[in-house]
Structures are given as structure tokens and as C-alpha cells.
Amino acid sequence: MELNLILRRPAQFAPVLSGLLLGTALQLQQPALWSLAAYGCCVAAAVLLWCCAAMGGCTRLARAALAALALALASGGLCGWRAALFQTQALPGALEGADIVLEGRVAAMPQPSEEGVRFRFDTLQASVAGHEVRVPPSILLSWYNGFATASQVLQTAPRSLAPVRAGERWRFTVRLRAPHGSSNPLGFDYELWLWEQGLQATGQVRAAHGEAAPLRLGQGWRYPVERARQAVRDTVFAHVGDARSAGVLAALIVGDQNAIAQQDWELYRATGVAHLMSISGLHITMFSWVAALVCGSLWRRSSRLCLVCPAPHAGLLGGAALAAGYALFSGWGVPAQRTVCMLLVAALLRLSGRLWPWQRIWLTACAAVLLLDPWAMLQAGFWLSFVAVGVLCAVGSASAAQCGPDASPGRRLRGHLMSQLRQQWVLTLALTPLTLLLFNEVSLVGFVANALAIPWVTALVTPLAMGGVLLPLLWTPAAWALELLHAGLGLLASWPQATVSAASPPLWAAAAAVAGGALLAARLPWGLRCAGLPMMLPALLWQPPRPIAGEFELLAADVGQGNAVLIRTATRTMLYDSGPRLGRSADAGQRVLAPLLRARGDRLDLLLVSHRDADHAGGAATVLKAHPQAGLLASIEETHPLQALRPARRCAAGQRWRWDGVDFEILHPQESDYQAGAKPNTLSCVLRIASAGQTALLAGDIEKAQEAKLVQSGAAIAADVLLVPHHGSKTSSSADFLDAVHPHIGLLQAGYRNRFGHPAPAVLARYRERGIQVFDSPHCGAALWVSVQPRKVLCHREAQRRYWHHLLAPPTSAP
């Protein structure tokens, strides 16, 4: 009884429920999982503590503390228990790379692209050479049409694929691998995304000559929601001629954010309206309101039904239920979960005649989302969604008095508009620090863009898009409205300094900035609110530490099968190579390097592209567009597409420059090496970097002939750290070259289980024989080496390890 009274008190309810959030947050920091028994003990201890709190015999504050601790143990234990159970379904290592015959069903709406199609596949049977094997119950399959990617080269001409639909049963020959993604500072965690989606393996459909062709076995009744979503999405694209508008409409109706073109995402981010172009809480709330009105109106038509349940209650329940159904139909994202939880709590409170403060409803919805999906706490959308709603609830409507029943229609309209503008302004103030923390970028035109786009999208585009499900003709005016919106947003995005970026601050500065933004947005006297400004300054002005004068550092980014090394001195930044192209519309510059440079607060001075191969120059265009001030040094030909974007200066042996007391020198190629028919690898720009005491050698893709030429020329190639030539290919790293360089450390950039077999075992053996410690990107992730600590390499994958990350066996080249 006493514990029930505690939970009813707003002042004590929040700390108790915060224990649930704390327990989940702590469990998500674990580098490795405990045993199932250990998590079971946590839950048992939570039950015991809860019973102690309920029995009484201590102060109210002590009971609240016991209840909070019990919830922390329970939430952490349950989250860990779920994770440990899920981890038992991992793909056995022996099956990676094997040809597996899979039979199962397409479990979600497929995601088509220019390269092929990607879809979730629930397995029913799996066999290798006729013997049944165990594979994870859900995997992510890709079926390519022949296009070249970073780890697969074009082997056949692009081919048309058989259409794949949700619910269909298929038999495929596939090659699977464990979830493995890039591991970079402040980068996207692909392995976490797969974990949260319930996927324990990824794979590629094999459809080459001589292999069993994919076979459709039939269409079943399962996955009706996904089948309906795909049908609506396909209908949108069939009726709307403009593919860009059709993609946005599909995102607004069924939550398919992958349908939005990359150029549109860039436009939305630059103007701060990306939150509107998916199923947001605002859309679901609007849908619930309309559904409640319709349900209540229909219910009133039957007097018998009204005797059973009052029409207002029926409308409320119907609106909440239909909103939950729409949230499921739209993909059940975090904003949808949050909105449904809050709507259900509000509906139940109203039906029971109780009144909760908004803080309790807000915390209850937050706890419900985390109970359903604890890993949502690591999503940017979780924090943006809940913080935005919390700010709006805290601020309330400042013009309520102006909109009373006695006010004139003009005054009511004026008051409503001022209220909306004030809420948008307060939301902008509150979310700017959080947006900078999460994305290292914020739109300066976001307030104006949102003030125009929110009513346009909410009152016009979204109703037309949803109405088009019943009357497809409505999609045409919806597309016209989107085109007008894009035109207006394009004008705003073209303004100078439409967006600003800032380096990612430390946790203390970020927390202070978010608190400062909340204080600015609070309904307090301006004297108190202005105290939030100095709280935000450390995060806004933060600059990550750089090497001291005369020293330098190398960061070998994890870009998969390609090279990209970030070089920093005291005041200058250089990028050696730009990683691979990842598809027709994606590259390492967009996915890894541009966000990495932004998060580290780096302004690029020079991009050196060692040679023209796509795994070295693939992300150059994106990097150069993001850094218009950067120079370009390369061995590319005059007709290369990069020349049109930024004229390149040809790299040649003998070129030297000095930055902040650090010497840079090009050792290869010679001017005479630029001859017709020369292989791109033979023209790789070899860069030597030297401080007063340490030296690094970045060798590109030179092969044994170029290595021998460098050794025989007497060039100063001795170095403490070596970027392993050609990703550890057997065509490079000759014994004479390694003896001449004599490095202590080798940085090896290669893709996990790449099709080229890099690095070659014989090459790793040569490094091991010479006591050279090799750090490869699949095991290490991004590797940081600093000249003041020449024998140490910081591996991002190890430093930031979490239990959902793929754990590889130790590198075979470790001495």
C-alpha cells in the first residue's frame, strides 16, 4: 500500500521509474554478456528488493530508493537475458562463405535499389551438400543484378531479377557471413542496427552460371501487414510519375524511408525537416484524432451500442486502436512506439477518470518503449522524439488565454499562429544542442523551414498521401505539393551557411549543452533562462586535441576494401585516399569520411588520391564537395571525372612540403612513369611523413616491381609505421622491401572476408617473421597511431567493444 502511494506521487514516481532507464543504460554498456544464470540472479534480486520496498518498515524515501534499484536490476537483467538468448542463434563460424541451400519466406517488404534487392528472410530449412545445418532464424539477404560494389566486382552484365514479394516462399543458394560492419569513431554502428532488427547473419544470393537458380515455391498467407505495405508502396510508384515524389509519398504512407532519394535526404537534413519525411508522432496523432472522430460518429448511429459504451469512450478506444494499427503498418519505428504508448496511457486514464501529470505519462511511455526494445536507447530518434515531446509538454501553450471563448476569431487565429511559432522556436532552442551532439551538424534555416514545412506537410501532403490509399488520384496533387515544397526548401538550402557543423564534444560538455538548451526553452524569467547560454558554449566551441607542433597522427579509417588514412598535424589535415565506392549512389566518403571529418572538427587542407582505382578514389567526389577549400594531389589522368570537380596536381617523386614542423615527401612515381598503358597500381603515390623522431610510409597499391625500384634507388623509405601495400596482396610486400623499410607496425586496410583473399597468408607470414605487428581493419576497426607513442596503436573496435559487436579470432600476424 505504501509503495502504491509512492508510485502515485509525481515527485517520487520519476526517480523510481528512472531506475528502469538506468538499468537498461548500464546493460547496454557491457562489452561482453554474462551467463543466463547471472541475469536470472539480477531479476531474482530485483523481485526481493521490490518485496522489501512493499513490506514497509522503512522511510518513504528508502522505499522509493529500493523500488528504483529493483527496477534497475530487473530492466538490466531482462535486457541481458534477452540478449544472451538471442546470441545463441548466431551463425556458426564454419558456415561463413559456404554455399548453403536455404528455404524460407520473405518476412518483410523488400528494399529495391539500382544494384538489386535486399530483404529479410525467415529460414525454414538449410543444408550444405545435402546435410542439414543450423542457421539463424532471420537473415538479411541481398540479391544483386551484377553491379560492382566494394567487395564484389562486375562479373556479368546487369540482369533483371525475378520480383520478390513479402510472404513468398523461396529456395536460394546463398553465402552467409556474420554481422560485420565498419567501426569508426562516432560512426554508424551497422552491427547494432542488425542486432536490433533481430538479424544474426547477412548473405548474398548466388545466381551465377552453374549454380542452382533461385526458385519461388509459392505465396502464403503469412506476413499480411508486410504484404499490404508492399502493395501500397508499389501502387504509389505505379501512379506517381516522378520517382522522387513517389519515394517521399511511400515514406509518409508505409514508413519506407529507403524509398527517399539520397539527394532529398541531403536537402531535408540541410533544412532540418528530415523528421517530417517519415512516419512521425505528429502523423500518428493526427491519424488517431481523425479515427476517433469517425469512430465516435459511427458509434452514435446505434442507440444500443451507446447503451453498452458511451460514444466518446468508443471513439477514444477506436482512435487509439487504429493508431496502433497504423503504427504497425508504418514499420513500428521509435516515434510511432512513443506516440502509441502515450495515446494508450492517455486513453486509459480518461476512461478510468484519472488525471496524471504529463511527466508521468512521458516517463511511462519511455519505459514502455524500452521494455519492448531496450536497444532503442542507442538510437538518435529515441532521444530526439522523447526530448521534443517533453519540451512541448513542459512549455505548453503560451497563448491559451488569448484563444479563449470570448476572444474574437481574428484574435484566436493570431493567438494560435503565435503559439505555434513560439513552440517551434522553443523546440529549435532545446533541440539544437542535442542535434549537434548526435549529428555534429545543425541547420541554421531550420526554424524558417519547419515553420513553413510543418503545416504544409501535416495539413496538405500527408492527408492527400493517406487519402490516396483509398483514392489514388489524390497522389497526383500530393506530388505537386511536394514539388513546391522541394523548390522552397532548395532556396533555403542554397543560402550561405545554411548549415553549421561542430566537433563532437565530450559527454560532460554535451550534457551541459542539452541542459542549457532545456533551460532556454523553459517558461522561466529571462534572467534565469539566459543562464543556459554559457552552459552551451563548451559544446559549441569544443575543439578535439590535436598533435603538438612537430608531431603528427594517422587514423586508418575502417572503410572496408579500400584505403583512407587521415593525417593531422598541429593545424593541418590531410586525407590519403578516399575509400571505395559502395554502389551507384553510395561511397565511403558519404558513409564514413565526411561524417568522420565533421565529428572530429577537421577542415581538410589536401586530399591525396594515390591512383584511380575505385577502392582508393571512390569517395573522393563526396569529400571534395564537403570541403571545397581542399586541394587535390593525385596520379589520375586528365580525363578523370574528378578533374572536372577539382583540377588535380600530379604527384611526382621529389615533391616536398612542411606543415607545423612535419615533413612530407612524395617518393613515387617518377615523372617518366606516367606513360600510356601503365597500370594504375604502378602509379600509386607513395608518401613519406617524418617528424623529428618518427616516420610513416603510405605505399598505396605499389607492387613488387615498384618496391624494388624504391629499394634500389636509395630513397629514404625506412619508417616506423607502414601502410601495408595493396591491402596485403601477394603481389606486394616483398622481403627486400620489408627489410629496407623495417617498420615496427603495419596498418592493413581490407574488407572483412573480401573476395580477393586480402591479406594473403604468405604476406602475413613475412611480417610475422620480421616481428612487425600488423593491425588489420576487420579486427581493429579504425586504427589510430600517434608519433609521440610510436609503438602503440589504438583500435576503435577494441576500445568501444559492445556485446553485439562481431568478435573475431585474434589476427594470425600478431607476433
Side-chain angles (χ1 to χ4, degrees):
M1 183 65 181
E2 289 292 332
L3 184 58
N4 188 40
L5 289 176
I6 289 174
L7 295 179
R8 288 184 180 181
R9 294 176 178 268
Q12 296 177 352
F13 178 85
V16 169
L17 200 53
S18 296
L20 186 148
L21 309 182
L22 178 62
T24 302
L26 291 177
Q27 197 281 327
L28 295 177
Q29 300 303 309
Q30 286 190 280
L33 288 172
W34 300 337
S35 65
L36 284 170
Y39 291 117
C41 290
C42 289
V43 176
V47 174
L48 182 61
L49 287 174
W50 188 268
C51 293
C52 292
M55 289 173 61
C58 54
T59 65
R60 186 170 294 167
L61 181 60
R63 286 193 293 273
L66 286 175
L69 182 58
L71 285 177
L73 284 171
S75 60
L78 288 174
C79 181
W81 182 74
R82 288 172 59 182
L85 280 180
F86 181 65
Q87 201 171 61
T88 61
Q89 303 172 355
L91 178 72
L95 294 181
E96 285 194 276
D99 286 338
I100 305 174
V101 178
L102 281 185
E103 188 172 317
R105 291 187 175 89
V106 180
M109 179 174 59
Q111 300 295 330
S113 67
E114 294 178 330
E115 293 84 32
V117 64
R118 187 176 67 169
F119 52 92
R120 184 188 185 105
F121 195 68
D122 285 356
T123 59
L124 299 175
Q125 298 176 5
S127 62
V128 176
H131 300 284
E132 188 172 346
V133 295
R134 181 188 63 82
V135 297
S138 293
I139 58 179
L140 184 65
L141 286 182
S142 298
W143 189 357
Y144 293 109
N145 58 16
F147 177 73
T149 66
S151 58
Q152 286 134 335
V153 297
L154 185 62
Q155 296 182 353
T156 61
R159 57 183 179 270
S160 59
L161 306 178
V164 179
R165 304 194 65 81
E168 290 180 339
R169 183 164 178 164
W170 282 80
R171 181 184 297 130
F172 296 114
T173 300
V174 303
R175 285 186 181 175
L176 301 180
R177 71 176 196 173
H180 190 96
S182 298
S183 178
N184 291 288
L186 305 166
F188 175 68
D189 193 339
Y190 179 63
E191 293 165 51
L192 171 63
W193 181 83
L194 289 172
W195 178 282
E196 190 181 12
Q197 299 298 314
L199 300 166
Q200 284 281 49
T202 62
Q204 179 184 346
V205 175
R206 306 285 292 173
H209 296 295
E211 296 176 328
L215 179 63
R216 182 189 290 108
L217 301 177
Q219 173 74 58
W221 55 268
R222 293 176 175 82
Y223 312 107
V225 173
E226 293 299 324
R227 289 165 58 194
R229 293 180 70 205
Q230 185 175 2
V232 171
R233 184 191 64 184
D234 293 348
T235 305
V236 171
F237 277 92
H239 280 77
V240 180
D242 180 35
R244 287 181 61 188
S245 298
V248 178
L249 292 177
L252 290 173
I253 299 169
V254 300
D256 184 11
Q257 297 187 23
N258 291 311
I260 299 179
Q262 181 61 35
Q263 65 185 101
D264 288 334
W265 276 126
E266 293 174 359
L267 175 64
Y268 300 151
R269 292 190 185 107
T271 52
V273 300
H275 63 99
L276 287 174
M277 302 308 167
S278 59
I279 304 298
S280 67
L282 182 62
H283 299 154
I284 294 177
T285 302
M286 181 182 68
F287 180 86
S288 174
W289 177 69
V290 174
L293 290 179
V294 173
C295 290
S297 177
L298 293 176
W299 196 269
R300 288 185 182 92
R301 294 179 178 273
S302 172
S303 56
R304 292 184 179 179
L305 290 177
C306 289
L307 291 174
V308 175
C309 178
H313 289 182
L316 191 64
L317 291 173
L322 289 174
Y326 177 53
L328 287 171
F329 182 78
S330 65
W332 197 239
V334 171
Q337 296 176 34
R338 181 261 305 160
T339 305
V340 169
C341 290
M342 295 188 78
L343 287 173
L344 290 177
V345 170
L348 291 175
L349 289 174
R350 185 171 177 182
L351 291 175
S352 63
R354 297 183 180 182
L355 182 63
W356 276 10
W358 70 265
Q359 297 95 330
R360 185 180 295 189
I361 299 176
W362 184 78
L363 277 173
T364 302
C366 183
V369 169
L370 292 180
L371 286 174
L372 291 172
D373 181 10
W375 300 277
M377 182 178 277
L378 299 174
Q379 290 185 25
F382 173 85
W383 296 101
L384 290 172
S385 177
F386 276 99
V387 170
V389 171
V391 168
L392 289 176
C393 290
V395 170
S397 176
S399 59
Q402 300 178 19
C403 301
D406 297 332
S408 65
R411 188 177 181 185
R412 283 188 220 164
L413 178 60
R414 235 180 0 261
H416 178 73
L417 291 176
M418 293 303 297
S419 173
Q420 295 301 313
L421 286 175
R422 182 180 183 278
Q423 289 183 9
Q424 184 59 47
W425 173 247
V426 166
L427 205 56
T428 300
L429 285 177
L431 293 185
T432 293
L434 186 59
T435 303
L436 279 174
L437 170 65
L438 295 172
F439 304 111
N440 307 114
E441 187 177 42
V442 68
S443 173
L444 294 182
V445 298
F447 172 73
V448 177
N450 277 281
L452 298 174
I454 287 177
W456 188 263
V457 173
T458 304
L460 182 61
V461 178
T462 301
L464 288 174
M466 295 170 64
V469 177
L470 300 176
L471 186 62
L473 291 176
L474 294 178
W475 286 330
T476 300
W480 295 341
L482 280 175
E483 291 175 4
L484 290 174
L485 177 66
H486 287 161
L489 294 178
L491 289 175
L492 291 175
S494 65
W495 290 1
Q497 299 297 321
T499 61
V500 294
S501 58
S504 183
L507 183 59
W508 66 267
V514 173
L519 187 59
L520 276 173
R523 298 182 64 182
L524 296 171
W526 273 105
L528 294 176
R529 293 166 70 175
C530 288
L533 288 174
M535 296 174 65
M536 299 169 65
L537 289 179
L540 296 176
L541 302 178
W542 173 259
Q543 290 296 323
R546 299 184 68 96
I548 61 175
E551 303 293 343
F552 68 101
E553 68 179 29
L554 306 178
L555 178 66
D558 187 1
V559 292
Q561 185 64 24
N563 277 152
V565 181
L566 189 63
I567 306 151
R568 300 206 307 171
T569 63
T571 63
R572 299 296 192 99
T573 302
M574 172 183 173
L575 183 63
Y576 180 89
D577 281 334
S578 58
R581 187 166 57 111
L582 305 174
R584 288 190 179 97
S585 59
D587 56 63
Q590 169 201 329
R591 297 277 181 87
V592 177
L593 299 176
L596 177 62
L597 289 165
R598 187 167 59 243
R600 289 165 62 91
D602 286 323
R603 182 180 182 273
L604 196 63
D605 295 288
L606 178 65
L607 169 62
L608 192 159
V609 177
S610 64
H611 61 293
R612 72 183 310 277
D613 282 357
D615 57 335
H616 295 254
T622 300
V623 172
L624 290 174
K625 289 177 182 177
H627 295 267
Q629 76 287 339
L632 177 60
L633 182 65
S635 63
I636 58 177
E637 66 276 13
E638 293 183 359
T639 57
H640 194 280
L642 282 178
Q643 297 279 12
L645 182 64
R646 190 77 44 85
R649 185 161 56 99
R650 175 183 287 182
C651 67
Q655 293 172 338
R656 295 181 178 87
W657 65 94
R658 186 177 178 87
W659 284 348
D660 304 318
V662 178
D663 295 312
F664 296 78
E665 181 181 3
I666 301 295
L667 303 180
H668 179 83
Q670 301 289 334
E671 284 287 356
S672 59
D673 292 329
Y674 287 96
Q675 57 183 341
K679 289 174 57 179
N681 286 356
T682 66
L683 296 177
S684 291
C685 304
V686 178
L687 176 67
R688 179 179 182 268
I689 312 168
S691 65
Q694 307 299 328
T695 305
L697 189 67
L698 310 184
D701 275 1
I702 60 172
E703 299 179 351
K704 291 179 179 178
Q706 291 74 51
E707 294 176 350
K709 188 175 180 180
L710 284 171
V711 173
Q712 294 166 6
S713 69
I717 60 175
D720 299 280
V721 59
L722 170 68
L723 179 65
V724 175
H726 203 178
H727 320 289
S729 167
K730 61 184 179 181
T731 64
S732 305
S733 296
S734 62
D736 290 342
F737 179 72
L738 293 182
D739 290 337
V741 178
H742 193 59
H744 304 298
I745 289 171
L747 302 178
L748 195 157
Q749 292 182 296
Y752 174 65
R753 297 190 63 86
N754 64 84
R755 68 178 304 274
F756 306 103
H758 297 158
V763 170
L764 290 179
R766 284 199 287 271
Y767 283 85
R768 184 170 59 249
E769 290 166 1
R770 289 160 177 78
I772 304 170
Q773 191 173 9
V774 175
F775 294 88
D776 65 331
S777 46
H779 290 87
C780 184
L784 177 64
W785 178 89
V786 294
S787 59
V788 293
Q789 295 179 303
R791 298 300 181 94
K792 180 180 179 181
V793 172
L794 178 63
C795 289
H796 185 264
R797 183 171 285 274
E798 290 300 323
Q800 300 295 324
R801 178 169 299 283
R802 297 294 183 267
Y803 59 80
W804 54 80
H805 289 151
H806 183 210
L807 184 62
L808 284 76
T812 57
S813 60

